Amino acid sequence: MAERSSIPERQVDVLVVGAGPAGLGVAARLAKLGVAPLVLDREPVPGGLPAQCEHPGFGLWVFRRLMPGQEFAARLVERAVRAGVRLETDVTVLEVTPDRTALAVSPSGIVRYRAQALVLATGCRERPRSTRLIPGARPAGVFNTGVVQRLHTFLGLLPGREVVVVGSDDISLVAARTLAQAGCRIAAVVEERPYRQGYLVNEWWSLRSQRIPLRLGHRVLRILGDGRVRGVEVALCDATGTPVANPYEIPCDTVIFSGEFVPEATLVAQAGIPADPRTGGGPLVDQEFQTELAGIFACGNLVHAADPADYALMDGERAALGVWRYLMSPPSGGELVQPVLPGPQVQAVVPQRLRWAGERLDPVRLAVRVEPALRAVRLRAVVAGQPWGWSLAPAAKPHRSVYLWLRPARPRDAPIVVEARGWPIV
Amino acid sequence: MIVSASGSCFTCRGDAVGGMPEAYDYDYLIVGAGVIGCAIARELVRSPVRVGVVEQGWDVAEGASKANSSILHTGFDAKPGTREARLVAEGWWLWQREAPQLGVPILRTGAVMLALDDEQAQELERWRRNATENGVTDVELLTRDRVLALAPAANPAVVSGLLVPRESVTCTFTATVALAEQAAVNGAAFHFGRRVTGIERSPDGFYRVLTDRGPFTARWLIDAAGLWADEIARWAGADGLVITPRKGEFLVLDKSARAKVPRIHLPVPTPISKGILVAPTANGNVLLGPTAEDIDDKRDLSVTASGLQRAREGALRLAPALADEPVIATYAGLRPASPVGDYVIEIHAHDRLVLAAGIRSTGLSSALAVAREVVRGLLEAGEPLASSESPLRPRPRRSWAPGQPRPCTRPELVAADPSYGRVLCLCELVSEGEIREALRAPIPATTLDAIKKRTWATAGRCQGFYCTAAVLQFVSRELRVPLSGLTKSGPGSPVVGPPVESRGRRSHG
């Protein structure tokens, strides 16, 4: 990248990249612990993805009530700034190096930051239409939910008039409702899996109240249209994606590909931080969200895209303790690393390893993604053939984490295998 | 189109239309602003003549020039003795000379043709002879070890290979835009968004080209209409030209794949097709494709499930190591194929008609040579044109071209203009500064696709997830047009819908 010599350098104790819930969570907690972090965000408005959400559903964990995303984001920003966090927006981090420097550009110039500890909290994004390899024409009017939210919240615009939403997780369902209330006609919500991904209560609240049809087990076979979307061709399909009924056309001028979040891991890959393909490229972390590179931490939906904002915030607060410990006593070596491995019916587990130094006995929280979707789920951690911890959940779906708390396991030199049991949801 | 549809052309020079009491608008009217049309326009404006370009799309490079592999061919695999072989070979050298001043990137990556079994290995010798016949004498047969050293991602089953050191990679967007801009600053007038609907001849032999938004008159008509060249030729009175669209589907891989693909990977061609290749791009991505499928509809640019699958499988046969690399985009292009099997370049002196047609997949490579060939033909027909060495005014410099460091990474540029420090597209690191340059260029970008072609904004791994709203907002502010007036590719392709009517009603319904 740019030449080092001509670029001013600044020393900071802790640099946080990304002012979403995770980044603000780290920063606010660190500030309370007496460390003054600097948070950089490339957007003009801090707060991450919640800042572009006008719908309620945020803040139960920290603020003890549900509030719209915008309000949640604003309160997190206010809380962080009041705690003494320095926050700079419109700053894009171009490059991160393993020795904890970050090259950043803003309208006022290019700066290289040297940090004692670096926290990546760059969040996640939805997979675009092209990555999903959806056939058909490539007209205007094809969006991700995130884009539609921004158009709506920041620019006061609707994406179109007649909308088909592809995906049925909670974000998709809420987007359908928001657009319906703002004046769009939602022709259908289409889901390729045979089951709804979001919560049942959300289906009632978002779709049924608006009389929006939900087409389960349907795939988009083709997008139609020249200049602008004219419709989508869909069909009921089996698990392999083969149509089992006649395809039909849903006329619309807008298609929104929703959900299917992946980590925004550009900096992780660029810096060469070891990543976990099972999470879609998020970095490998330990229970304190430290990556494989000492002093570089990563948390929030960058490590497990996409869990609710409140969980990203919780990550941030836990990561702050890790950062603080790292600053107080950088690792002296000799610690024990215990891998956490996905077992049967588990797609991914975060953290991917536990690091043990001395005789600390903090309990550990594992975020587990199952595959396939299960009902009446029992998660179990097994160490050296011995069950070590378990938890129950009424249901688990691949796009959301379910959690498992563990006491520090012994022996600590054998891997922990996490497995899930339950009835497949079909 | 971003500028609301006023119907006027964007780059009309004052003296090009009207002004003079002439009986016609242009000495030469070119139909089609693809790479061929733009190259011909640029060659003609070396002389003090009036050149017009009429294009149905709202930007240059909206047809075959928009969706190809961006490879700059040496012509080693062309059929010897054909016009295509000669012009591709000449075009390669012309591009080497012209690219620096045009600001067009050329990466001399070289290509490796991979023989995956003994039968194919025997074919290589034939292709080596073919290359030599076409004047490409620096090709080299490779042992398996050499192949794997030069193409580390190649299929381990590879038997042997053929190295074509001069096969290069350029950028079809940048190349076409650069040619058009240099033509424009030297006096060519571009008329976008005008579909030719008929052609009439006046008794004194002038052409009257009817479009859906008004006619043009011209002394000469130059048919560079790509897929529609047959229709234009027929209207102009030249029968016999047949153009059939041949669809090619491509996948674009994220930049992480680029390090694995230092060179173009070619399959051994079959009698039917050059086959599906793997190529680096000037912007640091990797292309897989194209398929080759003859279709009927000249507007069918859709990608298909089977086509994408074939493109991917074909490419992975050459380079299985790319299997896990993420796909960030897909597209389809139509090559204007002619049954003649060669370029159709004809100068009808009596009718004052030029055909530059049937230029299939090598048009980007040969464009500069085709333009010269056309001018040579016009000179022979007695047209008083200047030599091809007459100087041209340069095109304004851009702060970025594919493959170069982004302005936002250059301290001196950011210090000089803070808009280079405000990054809008975060995957491709496109700043406000580059987008402003595209909006104010000699051929101004007027659609989001046009901005994408010039800056790559929204073309990275997130495909606009983070930046679409910011780019729209910036463009709207910069051009002072409402957001609802912004389009993807011209009228009929609005990017967004209507404003939200009552903002109070929604929040807690």
Side-chain angles (χ1 to χ4, degrees):
Chain A
M1 286 250 168
E3 293 216 356
R4 278 187 172 216
S5 54
S6 57
I7 295 170
E9 292 202 355
R10 280 189 213 154
Q11 303 281 341
V12 289
D13 290 339
V14 179
L15 184 70
V16 180
V17 183
L24 292 171
V26 175
R29 174 59 70 90
L30 278 173
K32 283 181 193 152
L33 293 169
V35 181
L38 172 63
V39 184
L40 304 179
D41 197 284
R42 56 196 194 178
E43 298 291 338
V45 180
L49 293 189
Q52 65 189 47
C53 296
E54 290 180 296
H55 59 266
F58 297 84
L60 197 55
W61 188 73
V62 251
F63 300 116
R64 302 285 164 211
R65 73 174 177 83
L66 286 174
M67 58 181 75
Q70 278 184 309
E71 186 185 336
F72 175 69
R75 288 179 71 160
L76 290 183
V77 171
E78 189 196 311
R79 205 172 69 127
V81 170
R82 215 176 328 115
V85 171
R86 277 187 304 144
L87 175 60
E88 291 183 15
T89 54
D90 270 326
V91 185
T92 303
V93 173
L94 301 168
E95 177 189 273
V96 168
T97 61
D99 58 345
R100 299 182 305 279
T101 77
L103 187 70
V105 62
S106 72
S108 47
I110 300 180
V111 176
R112 184 173 294 276
Y113 292 95
R114 285 191 176 280
Q116 297 295 311
L118 188 65
V119 184
L120 299 177
T122 49
C124 59
R125 56 184 165 82
E126 291 162 287
R127 289 175 66 210
R129 176 252 172 119
S130 51
T131 306
R132 305 177 192 214
L133 301 182
I134 305 292
R138 299 185 303 123
V142 180
F143 299 94
N144 281 132
T145 313
V147 178
V148 172
Q149 286 172 345
R150 272 180 203 228
L151 293 175
H152 188 235
T153 306
F154 297 151
L155 304 182
L157 289 171
L158 296 178
R161 293 171 197 278
E162 303 252 319
V163 179
V164 168
V165 176
V166 183
S168 68
D169 63 12
D170 292 306
I171 290 153
S172 322
L173 301 179
V174 170
R177 176 192 161 92
T178 308
L179 290 174
Q181 293 198 328
C184 293
R185 198 181 79 82
I186 312 296
V189 173
V190 177
E191 168 59 58
E192 68 178 39
R193 294 167 189 80
Y195 54 86
R196 163 189 27 75
Q197 293 200 70
Y199 295 114
L200 177 63
V201 59
N202 199 354
E203 182 182 335
W204 280 91
W205 185 72
S206 293
L207 300 192
R208 300 211 180 174
S209 69
Q210 309 291 321
R211 298 203 174 85
I212 297 169
L214 173 62
R215 304 255 179 265
L216 295 176
H218 279 63
R219 278 179 195 249
V220 174
L221 301 182
R222 218 147 53 100
I223 292 176
L224 309 166
D226 297 319
R228 175 86 192 188
V229 173
R230 195 182 71 230
V232 291
E233 190 180 277
V234 302
L236 185 65
C237 291
D238 63 16
T240 66
T242 314
V244 294
N246 282 337
Y248 60 98
E249 187 183 328
I250 306 177
C252 61
D253 64 11
T254 303
V255 193
I256 301 176
F257 287 95
S258 186
E260 297 204 18
F261 283 87
V262 290
E264 173 45 39
T266 302
L267 291 174
V268 172
Q270 170 269 318
I273 300 171
D276 182 1
R278 289 174 162 271
T279 63
L284 298 169
V285 291
D286 65 18
Q287 70 269 41
E288 291 181 333
F289 295 97
Q290 187 163 194
T291 67
E292 296 287 276
L293 302 186
I296 300 186
F297 293 75
C299 61
N301 283 338
L302 170 62
V303 294
H304 47 70
D307 282 329
D310 279 76
Y311 290 97
L313 180 65
M314 284 162 72
D315 272 13
E317 306 210 331
R318 291 184 70 78
L321 295 177
V323 173
W324 190 73
R325 284 200 191 112
Y326 173 83
L327 292 175
M328 294 302 110
S329 58
S332 48
E335 56 194 3
L336 210 55
V337 176
Q338 184 173 28
V340 184
L341 304 174
Q345 307 207 88
V346 171
Q347 162 63 25
V349 187
V350 174
Q352 291 87 347
R353 56 254 295 104
L354 305 181
R355 223 184 291 265
W356 302 112
E359 281 302 298
R360 270 196 354 248
L361 293 172
D362 311 353
V364 172
R365 191 197 67 177
L366 303 181
V368 179
R369 296 294 175 98
V370 299
E371 176 67 50
L374 299 171
R375 223 185 285 286
V377 190
R378 196 164 88 101
L379 295 177
R380 204 164 71 125
V382 179
V383 184
Q386 298 298 312
W388 195 261
W390 54 273
S391 75
L392 300 173
K397 293 177 183 174
H399 72 290
R400 278 278 159 89
S401 297
V402 279
Y403 296 94
L404 174 61
W405 283 91
L406 285 187
R407 289 170 293 127
R410 291 181 195 282
R412 289 177 177 175
D413 49 2
I416 300 174
V417 178
V418 180
E419 54 189 48
R421 290 190 189 167
W423 303 101
I425 301 177
V426 287
Chain B
M1 187 185 70
I2 287 162
V3 182
S4 61
S6 60
S8 65
C9 66
F10 305 113
T11 52
C12 265
R13 298 288 163 273
D15 59 352
V17 188
M20 277 180 283
E22 295 275 2
Y24 51 88
D25 298 327
Y26 295 111
D27 292 303
Y28 304 95
L29 182 66
I30 300 165
V31 183
V35 70
I36 298 293
C38 292
I40 294 173
R42 173 176 170 275
E43 202 58 37
L44 286 171
V45 292
R46 293 182 193 275
S47 312
V49 290
R50 287 173 303 166
V51 177
V53 183
V54 55
E55 163 61 43
Q56 63 173 346
W58 291 87
D59 189 18
V60 299
E62 282 288 84
S65 306
K66 182 181 188 172
N68 54 57
S69 61
S70 281
I71 293 178
L72 190 56
H73 299 281
T74 52
F76 82 96
D77 55 351
K79 194 173 166 196
T82 58
R83 180 176 252 135
E84 180 176 12
R86 176 168 59 82
L87 293 177
V88 170
E90 184 188 344
W92 190 93
W93 291 105
L94 289 172
W95 271 118
Q96 306 302 312
R97 204 181 66 184
E98 300 295 319
Q101 62 99 2
L102 281 168
V104 173
I106 294 183
L107 301 181
R108 205 179 283 192
T109 58
V112 181
M113 188 181 278
L114 304 173
L116 297 180
D117 54 38
D118 292 335
E119 201 177 319
Q120 290 185 352
Q122 285 166 12
E123 287 280 288
L124 291 180
E125 173 54 28
R126 191 165 72 73
W127 288 108
R128 191 191 63 76
R129 279 200 310 273
N130 196 85
T132 316
E133 264 186 82
N134 285 333
V136 184
T137 51
D138 51 355
V139 297
E140 189 186 333
L141 287 167
L142 301 173
T143 60
R144 179 174 184 274
D145 290 349
R146 282 269 285 148
V147 171
L148 290 174
L150 293 171
N155 193 334
V158 67
V159 178
S160 57
L162 182 72
L163 176 67
V164 191
R166 287 192 289 113
E167 285 283 290
S168 305
V169 164
T170 180
C171 167
T172 185
F173 304 151
T174 314
T176 311
V177 169
L179 294 174
E181 287 191 355
Q182 192 165 38
V185 299
N186 286 279
F190 283 79
H191 302 276
F192 292 109
R194 299 213 181 181
R195 192 166 53 81
V196 174
T197 53
I199 295 170
E200 295 170 355
R201 294 293 293 274
S202 66
D204 46 357
F206 291 110
Y207 284 97
R208 193 174 140 85
V209 176
L210 309 176
T211 77
D212 51 356
R213 295 195 294 119
F216 296 100
T217 51
R219 214 157 55 77
W220 277 80
L221 184 70
I222 299 177
D223 178 3
L227 286 166
W228 282 269
D230 50 352
E231 216 162 290
I232 300 294
R234 200 162 51 244
W235 283 336
D239 287 332
L241 183 63
V242 178
I243 302 292
T244 51
R246 183 172 298 162
K247 189 191 273 190
E249 298 185 40
F250 290 89
L251 302 113
V252 184
L253 301 184
D254 201 354
K255 292 183 177 173
S256 52
R258 174 67 174 88
K260 297 183 185 171
V261 185
R263 293 179 176 76
I264 304 164
H265 296 35
L266 302 172
V268 177
T270 64
I272 304 157
S273 149
K274 280 191 187 180
I276 291 161
L277 52 85
V278 175
T281 75
N283 195 44
N285 298 88
V286 171
L287 282 182
L288 314 181
T291 54
E293 187 191 358
D294 287 317
I295 60 169
D296 300 322
D297 183 356
K298 290 183 179 178
R299 295 185 185 272
D300 176 11
L301 287 169
S302 60
V303 291
T304 62
S306 62
L308 293 177
Q309 195 186 347
R310 265 179 288 135
R312 199 177 126 81
E313 282 172 0
L316 292 184
R317 248 196 312 280
L318 295 179
L322 300 177
D324 292 333
E325 294 293 337
V327 174
I328 62 163
T330 60
Y331 63 92
L334 298 179
R335 318 171 183 83
S338 117
V340 179
D342 194 3
Y343 292 1
V344 178
I345 296 179
E346 294 174 6
I347 316 285
H348 298 261
H350 179 72
D351 291 332
R352 299 207 292 255
L353 172 69
V354 177
L355 303 184
I359 300 172
R360 293 170 294 178
S361 44
T362 48
L364 173 61
S365 310
S366 65
L368 296 176
V370 168
R372 284 186 165 211
E373 179 97 336
V374 166
V375 169
R376 279 195 292 267
L378 290 170
L379 281 166
E380 277 170 32
E383 287 294 292
L385 289 171
S387 100
S388 56
E389 303 303 324
S390 309
L392 286 167
R393 261 183 288 163
R395 155 198 192 219
R397 286 208 93 65
R398 289 278 170 79
S399 62
W400 177 82
Q404 287 177 3
R406 283 287 182 179
C408 71
T409 65
R410 294 167 58 188
E412 74 289 356
L413 272 185
V414 178
D417 182 350
S419 66
Y420 290 118
R422 205 181 300 275
V423 177
L424 294 184
C425 168
L426 308 148
C427 302
E428 290 293 328
L429 299 177
V430 186
S431 71
E432 287 186 358
E434 287 122 291
I435 296 179
R436 182 176 292 142
E437 286 174 31
L439 298 175
R440 295 181 181 175
I443 306 275
T446 62
T447 65
L448 286 193
D449 278 354
I451 291 170
K452 193 161 150 178
K453 275 182 202 158
R454 287 155 177 80
T455 67
W456 260 255
T458 74
R461 67 184 63 86
C462 90
Q463 292 281 301
F465 178 86
Y466 291 113
C467 62
T468 300
V471 170
L472 287 174
Q473 196 175 15
F474 176 71
V475 172
S476 157
R477 204 171 59 218
E478 193 73 3
L479 295 179
R480 300 197 184 129
V481 293
L483 288 155
S484 53
L486 306 185
T487 69
K488 179 171 186 287
S489 53
S493 64
V495 179
V496 295
V500 178
E501 277 153 24
S502 54
R503 291 177 66 87
R505 192 162 56 88
R506 280 165 296 106
S507 47
H508 293 285

